[in-house]
Amino acid sequence: MNESLVPVPTGLLQISESSTRERGDQENALKFSLVLPTYNEAGNIAEIVKILSQLLDGYLPGQYELIVVDDNSPDQTWKLALELTPDYPQLRVMRRVDEKGLSTAVIRGWQVAQGEILGVIDADLQHPPEVLGQLLQEMEKGADLALASRHVEGGGVSEWSIIRRFLSRGAQMLGLLILPEVISRLSDPMSGYFMVRRSAIAGKSLSPVGYKILIEVAARGRIRWIAEAGYVFRERQAGESKVTWKQYIEYIQHLLRLRLSISARFIQFCLVGLSGVVVDMGFLYLLSDPSTLGLPLTRSKIIAAELAIINNFIWNDFWTFGDIARRQPGKRQRLKRLIKFNIICLVGLILNVLLLNVFFNVFNLNRYIANLLAIGLVTFFNFWFNLKLSWRVTEIK
Ligand code: GDD
Ligand code: MN
């Protein structure tokens, strides 16, 4: 019987690749691990554990676990939860003393989890447990991430003030502004109620700030298929929300941190692009300059451009997208990426010539400004299409 606290993991916030299931530890084979982050939930913990256990005993008898992660609540929620464990064999309790914060609590819980699917639900009954059934079905169908949303059919909030509705939507708009490629994929990016496939976030260094664990998972995880189910956010029966202005500041910090991580890859891509310009220029000189080989300009340009493309591919495959390329090992995969990269860059080259001519002939721009504009636009084109097609990236670094 597990009437002892689960040791708190230390170090990086990283989830391991294999659950006990893969390690062939059939005895502890688990499908689903649900984390309940708690801070001063003495008034709710017994009720939520009872309801969740009854529900999951129905859906996944013996194949799930509940993990309460308490940040040393002054009301001793962790102690109450521990006292429940004799009655609930699927229940495990972690008490954090040196760390605090909703998002990191969830990740620490996932780090000790044994399930293949990792979930989170608030412990104050504001997230209706019955929605878990729908979310599990979506995961069964193959979703990488299944979230409970207030902004899809069947979703909503019960008695939220105009202010809170405005703040929540405002936060979402701000997210769309700063991190469109992530936030636009989620109808309720603020949701604290979801589940994710372990393999989609395993090995990723997570570093959330504050409350928004979903945004961190959606941004850094290998998330292709997102499923959603509507839910109505209920009023609290006991205790009170811990949300203060601090959480809103932390949310903006979090968005900016993710933005920088995404931009980091774009900055690398641009630096590699610059090295390509040097290679291009260098070979154009070696091949076509009268003082060197003096070959015809167009032929020299084509060779120089191709060598620049190969140079850019090597550096991008090794550096910019190194973390992705290492997960697509082997010569065949690399050749496939090179061919795709080459095609996209050639299309980019054509686009470049077209744009140059439009800016120069139609908008009468100075030829060098026109060329710089064309190069700039095509760099975005090349980056986006290579991100999505050549390296098939769904996550940020
Ligand atoms: N371990 C731990 N540490 N748990 C915490 C902490 C913390 O520092 N702060 C809050 N929690 C727990 C609470 O005990 C509760 O179980 C859950 O996290 C949510 O906290 P609330 O304070 O009740 O948040 P809320 O109801 O105002 O907002 C919730 O719903 C929003 C809408 O879905 C949160 O889930 C928000 O993230 C979400 O945006
Ligand atoms: Mn709440």
Side-chain angles (χ1 to χ4, degrees):
M1 185 48 54
N2 52 3
E3 282 156 35
S4 59
L5 289 168
V6 177
V8 181
T10 53
L12 277 183
L13 291 165
Q14 219 174 48
I15 315 290
S16 64
E17 291 281 350
S18 65
S19 70
T20 52
R21 183 179 210 148
E22 276 102 7
R23 286 198 297 272
D25 184 346
Q26 287 310 321
E27 198 205 315
N28 286 326
L30 287 183
K31 192 142 185 67
F32 180 46
S33 301
L34 182 59
V35 168
L36 292 81
T38 59
Y39 193 73
N40 284 346
E41 299 296 350
N44 291 311
I45 196 65
E47 181 71 9
I48 183 105
V49 167
K50 188 180 86 190
I51 294 173
L52 287 172
S53 302
Q54 280 166 355
L55 198 80
L56 293 169
D57 282 342
Y59 285 121
L60 295 167
Q63 292 189 79
Y64 75 91
E65 63 182 346
L66 302 177
I67 305 174
V68 169
V69 180
D70 185 77
D71 286 353
N72 204 23
S73 296
D75 71 2
Q76 306 221 308
T77 303
W78 60 271
K79 199 151 179 276
L80 291 172
L82 201 56
E83 284 159 6
L84 293 170
T85 50
D87 304 324
Y88 299 98
Q90 314 300 130
L91 177 62
R92 301 164 73 197
V93 180
M94 184 188 293
R95 176 192 182 190
R96 299 199 305 168
V97 176
D98 308 320
E99 291 177 339
K100 189 164 185 330
L102 195 164
S103 292
T104 57
V106 173
I107 299 171
R108 290 298 187 203
W110 287 346
Q111 284 183 299
V112 300
Q114 300 170 31
E116 194 189 311
I117 297 170
L118 307 172
V120 54
I121 187 171
D122 288 354
D124 57 8
L125 296 162
Q126 292 195 273
H127 291 158
E130 54 278 11
V131 179
L132 284 172
Q134 278 171 273
L135 299 179
L136 284 167
Q137 273 168 16
E138 293 295 342
M139 297 304 284
E140 210 48 51
K141 284 189 231 159
D144 296 314
L145 174 71
L147 78 127
S149 166
R150 293 160 295 171
H151 307 312
V152 293
E153 202 202 322
V157 290
S158 51
E159 295 140 29
W160 266 19
S161 66
I162 293 290
I163 302 276
R164 182 116 198 225
R165 287 170 194 264
F166 176 77
L167 283 172
S168 178
R169 279 299 189 177
Q172 190 166 353
M173 292 308 141
L174 188 67
L176 277 173
L177 210 65
I178 298 176
L179 215 57
E181 60 270 66
V182 176
I183 304 292
S184 62
R185 303 181 70 197
L186 309 161
S187 70
D188 187 358
M190 308 299 147
S191 177
Y193 190 9
F194 64 94
M195 50 185 79
V196 61
R197 197 168 295 287
R198 173 189 289 274
S199 56
I201 52 173
K204 288 270 133 187
S205 295
L206 303 172
S207 59
V209 193
Y211 262 44
K212 303 304 165 199
I213 176 70
L214 173 59
I215 294 173
E216 183 74 10
V217 165
R220 297 196 193 274
R222 291 174 284 275
I223 309 286
R224 288 176 203 288
W225 175 355
I226 298 178
E228 301 190 332
Y231 85 98
V232 176
F233 189 70
R234 300 182 198 159
E235 281 314 296
R236 252 182 188 271
Q237 304 310 315
E240 57 196 29
S241 169
K242 283 81 192 176
V243 169
T244 64
W245 276 105
K246 189 165 164 278
Q247 269 71 40
Y248 289 97
I249 307 295
E250 286 176 337
Y251 169 61
I252 297 169
Q253 276 176 314
H254 194 183
L255 287 175
L256 294 173
R257 176 186 285 189
L258 290 169
R259 176 79 270 158
L260 279 177
S261 306
I262 293 180
S263 310
R265 210 190 277 278
F266 180 65
I267 292 162
Q268 286 174 286
F269 189 80
C270 291
L271 289 174
V272 169
L274 274 179
S275 77
V277 173
V278 175
V279 170
D280 187 318
M281 291 291 193
F283 276 99
L284 193 65
Y285 168 75
L286 282 177
L287 296 169
S288 71
D289 196 277
S291 63
T292 56
L293 295 176
L295 295 175
L297 184 64
T298 309
R299 204 180 310 160
S300 310
K301 170 63 191 173
I302 291 169
I303 297 168
E306 184 52 31
L307 289 171
I309 288 175
I310 292 170
N311 165 77
N312 292 2
F313 174 76
I314 292 169
W315 286 113
N316 280 323
D317 202 52
F318 172 74
W319 186 43
T320 314
F321 303 105
D323 57 322
I324 312 289
R326 278 187 288 280
R327 276 208 310 277
Q328 304 166 0
K331 286 202 178 64
R332 258 176 71 78
Q333 293 259 28
R334 178 163 296 152
L335 187 62
K336 254 168 69 182
R337 292 196 296 275
L338 172 60
I339 293 166
K340 280 191 243 175
F341 183 78
N342 220 322
I343 293 168
I344 291 167
C345 291
L346 286 178
V347 173
L349 205 56
I350 296 164
L351 206 59
N352 196 331
V353 174
L354 277 176
L355 286 169
L356 171 63
N357 278 289
V358 169
F359 291 143
F360 182 71
N361 297 316
V362 179
F363 297 100
N364 298 321
L365 283 183
N366 164 288
R367 71 180 61 221
Y368 302 106
I369 294 174
N371 195 27
L372 268 182
L373 260 180
I375 289 173
L377 290 171
V378 168
T379 304
F380 279 107
F381 167 89
N382 281 346
F383 178 69
W384 188 257
F385 281 94
N386 280 309
L387 188 82
K388 294 298 167 194
L389 300 179
S390 306
W391 280 273
R392 293 178 286 127
V393 177
T394 57
E395 79 266 24
I396 64 173
K397 276 210 164 164

